[in-house]
């Protein structure tokens, strides 16, 4: 399926919680998984396919999974590392994230699910959960990196007519970014 690109308003909406765990949700999880793997990417959130629901998939270090209605508990230790996004193709910047995360939610059948991640998986879970809150990784960059990212986005061949919208992250930025 086509992945929505930076500037698409759906990427800035707060996604709605999933309340119905049915065949339609299972189809969404399948579509997310197939699109993520075809891209290829480490994760994909439902808003990136234009669906404003709190669902994402991930494929990190050979582990494939999904999470519905995630709630995160972040560890205190932080990591800086490269991060990119399928909705901002071709751009990668160092971004600060928690080193460890515990994500609680449900699977596509409504059963409770807990994922514990460190390093790359922790980064992916935080990145995809940000998508569900209308936050993009460029929102977490320090001012200098953010300015460079916005220049690169404006100059990208995929850049559209929609003016970019940069927001202040509602989540901890560990003293960096906005």
């Amino acid at each position: 399926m086509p992945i929505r690109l930076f500037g698409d308003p759906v990427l800035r909406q707060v996604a709605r919680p999933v309340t119905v765990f049915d065949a339609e949700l299972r189809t969404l999880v399948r579509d997310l998984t197939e699109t993520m793997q075809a891209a290829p990417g480490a994760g994909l959130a439902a808003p990136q396919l234009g669906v404003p629901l709190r669902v994402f998939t991930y494929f990190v270090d050979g582990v494939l999974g999904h999470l519905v209605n995630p709630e995160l508990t972040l560890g205190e230790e932080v990591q800086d590392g490269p991060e990119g996004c399928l909705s901002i193709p071709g751009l990668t910047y160092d971004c600060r994230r928690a080193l460890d995360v515990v994500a609680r939610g449900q699977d596509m059948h409504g059963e409770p699910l807990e994922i514990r991640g460190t390093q790359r998986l922790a980064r992916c879970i935080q990145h995809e959960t940000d998508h569900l809150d209308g936050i993009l990784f460029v929102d977490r960059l320090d001012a200098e990196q953010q300015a460079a990212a916005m220049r690169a986005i404006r100059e990208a061949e995929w850049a559209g007519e929609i003016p970019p919208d940069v927001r202040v992250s509602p989540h901890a930025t560990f003293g960096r970014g906005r």
Side-chain angles (χ1 to χ4, degrees), residues 107-165:
D107 68 12
M108 66 179 130
H109 304 287
E111 296 298 319
L113 184 60
E114 180 178 285
I115 303 165
R116 293 177 178 271
T118 62
Q119 299 178 1
R120 190 162 181 246
L121 181 56
R123 178 175 299 282
C124 179
I125 289 169
Q126 292 168 79
H127 178 107
E128 299 309 328
T129 302
D130 272 354
H131 273 299
L132 306 181
D133 293 325
I135 302 301
L136 299 173
F137 89 98
V138 293
D139 299 329
R140 293 190 169 276
L141 302 177
D142 64 35
E144 184 178 325
Q145 283 186 311
Q146 194 173 76
M150 296 311 295
R151 269 191 307 278
I153 288 168
R154 284 190 297 275
E155 294 169 2
E157 70 178 48
W158 53 263
E161 299 295 318
I162 302 169
D165 179 21

Side-chain angles (χ1 to χ4, degrees), residues 73-80 95-101 117-124 126 140 172 174:
T73 302
L74 304 178
E76 292 183 25
E77 194 173 346
V78 297
Q79 62 173 321
D80 285 309
C95 184
R96 182 167 283 192
R97 297 280 186 180
L99 180 63
D100 303 292
V101 67
T118 62
Q119 299 178 1
R120 190 162 181 246
L121 181 56
R123 178 175 299 282
C124 179
Q126 292 168 79
R140 293 190 169 276
F174 306 105

Side-chain angles (χ1 to χ4, degrees), residues 56-74:
F56 70 81
T57 57
Y58 62 91
F59 183 65
V60 176
D61 299 329
V63 177
L64 178 65
H66 70 278
L67 190 59
V68 179
N69 299 327
E71 294 182 14
L72 306 186
T73 302
L74 304 178

